[in-house]
Amino acid sequence: MSTFHFRDKKILIVSPQPWSYLFISKQHYALELAKQNRVYYLCAPENKPGISSSFFAAKESHQLFICTYRIPVPPVFLFHASTLYKAVNLYFVKRFLKNLTPSFDVCIDFGSYQFYDNMDFVQADTKIFFPVDDHHDLKPFDRGCKHLFSISVNIVDKFKKAGYHCNFINHGLSEAFASVARNRLAHFTGWRKNGRIKAAYSGNLFIPFLNIPLFKKMIQENPDVEFQLFGSIKYDKKNPVHADWYGFLEAAENVTIHGFAEPSMLAGHLNNADLCLMCYKPDFKNYHGENSHKIFEYLSTGRVIVSTHITLYAGNDLLNMTGPGEDERLPELFSETIRQIGRYNNDDFAKRRMQFSIHNTYAKQIERIEQIIAGRV
């Protein structure tokens, strides 16, 4: 078997999103890879009108550079004249990259199919296509990349049916949560009830796939439980559903809205909770009902997770989930978990959850990708 390692490489990460304060898998991979490689994170073009182009590579850390740029095409063209938009975008990106560096060792495309038809314009020895979101624009093509990965079993199956060798790689756990989990395991004391039960939820409270009616019901039926909510609270005030939801949360005496919290702070808050909560409704892609990035953050606390059905974790006893098509049972499952919280947070469950999460850090996922590539170089 050949060897392949992400060591001393020059890596281009092509992202369909900007670099923002709210880190998702793309940013976490960039940060982890930059520990031993020189990494360039190419953002999507800035969504700003203008008649001139610009490009800027800002140093985020010792070996991580955030590349932002603007092209002289109105952003509306992306949706109404996509062929023209892609052609202009490609012309300028090729110029920008040529001035930045003539070639890369590795290129990782995290699903930027809205902006590029393929990665042929990048000079790189190893090209990886890593789509994370299923979408009607996501066609089962390799986009000029020999190695294909996804956190979605649905996406993996889609590519395999089209004849491509695609590998499943689960979400990763960031170091902010992993370090807390390691410390708790090293000084394990077990769960003890301390006052009112605290149920924590992290994530945007106004995403379209949040099951608001079920969430409301759990809050209303469990007045003795403290619901600690972390995540964005920005919403469209003209949307009556969102306005009503926010008004309900503000008025509920057993709800505390914390807003966005930095990862290290969020890790501390979640570890002070007694259980963690997910409450999604199925969507047409079955994506958020298939997998979720926050599961490993929750598992790293060792606390029980009460959730609507997540396909990837069917049969896994570390989560308390409703069955497929039985999401309406979530309030009942939540109340039953509260009644037996000591059983679900026992030492064995707690340790297994933390160990499972630590086994899926971003560093571990990179090692798995290395092994797969090494077997196919």
Side-chain angles (χ1 to χ4, degrees):
M1 180 181 290
S2 303
T3 58
F4 176 86
H5 297 291
F6 288 105
R7 307 285 190 280
D8 302 319
K9 297 288 197 300
K10 191 163 48 174
I11 300 174
L12 176 68
I13 291 179
V14 186
S15 171
Q17 284 100 21
W19 184 272
S20 70
Y21 69 91
L22 186 59
F23 283 5
I24 49 181
S25 59
K26 304 162 188 64
Q27 286 98 334
H28 286 301
Y29 272 110
L31 289 168
E32 190 62 40
L33 288 167
K35 292 178 180 179
Q36 299 186 70
N37 305 273
R38 191 174 183 85
V39 177
Y40 297 89
Y41 184 97
L42 180 64
C43 300
E46 290 184 345
N47 189 19
K48 297 178 182 178
I51 59 173
S52 63
S53 63
S54 64
F55 180 81
F56 187 64
K59 199 170 188 178
E60 177 73 13
S61 65
H62 178 58
Q63 294 198 98
L64 175 59
F65 297 83
I66 312 305
C67 303
T68 57
Y69 70 98
R70 181 187 302 179
I71 60 176
V73 176
V76 68
F77 276 40
L78 176 61
F79 305 102
H80 300 287
S82 61
T83 301
L84 173 61
Y85 186 93
K86 284 183 177 180
V88 174
N89 181 62
L90 183 60
Y91 170 78
F92 281 100
V93 168
K94 289 171 70 174
R95 286 180 56 191
F96 297 150
L97 293 182
K98 185 178 180 180
N99 292 330
L100 183 66
T101 180
S103 64
F104 299 88
D105 298 301
V106 180
C107 171
I108 307 176
D109 170 22
F110 276 104
S112 56
Y113 36 84
Q114 283 186 305
F115 304 103
Y116 311 97
D117 289 328
N118 53 59
M119 292 292 109
D120 292 347
F121 66 95
V122 180
Q123 297 296 316
D125 297 330
T126 301
K127 294 183 181 180
I128 300 169
F129 183 32
F130 202 139
V132 294
D133 295 321
D134 204 356
H135 193 271
H136 67 273
D137 283 341
L138 177 59
K139 309 301 181 186
F141 301 116
D142 63 8
R143 292 173 54 80
C145 301
K146 181 178 180 180
H147 307 285
L148 285 74
F149 300 90
S150 181
I151 55 87
S152 164
V153 174
N154 288 344
I155 292 176
V156 170
D157 288 344
K158 177 189 290 188
F159 277 81
K160 285 185 175 180
K161 287 176 182 176
Y164 292 99
H165 187 88
C166 189
N167 296 276
F168 173 78
I169 294 289
N170 209 338
H171 282 292
L173 179 70
S174 68
E175 188 57 30
F177 288 88
S179 60
V180 175
R182 292 190 197 99
N183 184 64
R184 290 188 61 151
L185 276 171
H187 305 89
F188 187 78
T189 57
W191 175 84
R192 298 291 182 273
K193 188 174 183 297
N194 184 20
R196 295 175 71 185
I197 296 296
K198 297 180 179 64
Y201 171 86
S202 70
N204 192 322
L205 288 162
F206 299 94
I207 47 178
F209 38 82
L210 184 70
N211 197 320
I212 293 176
L214 287 186
F215 215 137
K216 276 186 176 180
K217 190 173 183 181
M218 285 185 289
I219 293 172
Q220 291 170 328
E221 292 182 352
N222 296 275
D224 294 332
V225 175
E226 294 182 21
F227 288 82
Q228 305 281 326
L229 311 182
F230 302 89
S232 174
I233 55 174
K234 294 181 180 179
Y235 68 96
D236 180 6
K237 295 183 180 180
K238 295 180 181 179
N239 184 324
V241 174
H242 286 182
D244 176 74
W245 173 228
Y246 185 74
F248 169 83
L249 293 176
E250 273 202 316
E253 294 183 357
N254 59 334
V255 171
T256 301
I257 305 173
H258 294 274
F260 173 77
E262 295 290 339
S264 58
M265 185 177 296
L266 178 61
H269 283 301
L270 293 184
N271 274 278
N272 287 328
D274 299 293
L275 65 85
C276 298
L277 178 64
M278 287 197 291
C279 185
Y280 292 146
K281 58 185 178 184
D283 63 9
F284 73 98
K285 294 175 294 187
N286 190 34
Y287 172 64
H288 290 88
E290 177 193 4
N291 200 353
S292 173
H293 73 277
K294 76 179 66 176
I295 288 179
F296 282 128
E297 295 180 354
Y298 283 175
L299 287 170
S300 72
T301 69
R303 305 306 190 219
V304 62
I305 301 171
V306 180
S307 174
T308 43
H309 191 71
I310 305 294
T311 306
L312 187 64
Y313 293 91
N316 189 318
D317 64 354
L318 300 183
L319 291 77
N320 280 12
M321 297 191 307
T322 58
E326 299 180 348
D327 290 348
E328 295 302 317
R329 289 193 59 252
L330 185 65
E332 177 187 342
L333 178 63
F334 181 87
S335 297
E336 189 273 333
T337 303
I338 294 296
R339 288 192 294 271
Q340 300 191 58
I341 190 73
R343 170 193 168 196
Y344 293 116
N345 278 342
N346 69 38
D347 292 357
D348 177 61
F349 275 135
K351 289 179 180 179
R352 286 169 54 205
R353 290 180 187 119
M354 289 186 278
Q355 289 164 348
F356 183 42
S357 70
I358 293 171
H359 191 59
N360 284 277
T361 62
Y362 281 97
K364 291 287 187 183
Q365 308 303 37
I366 288 172
E367 289 177 7
R368 293 183 175 103
I369 293 171
E370 287 178 336
Q371 292 169 2
I372 292 170
I373 292 177
R376 302 195 69 238
V377 169

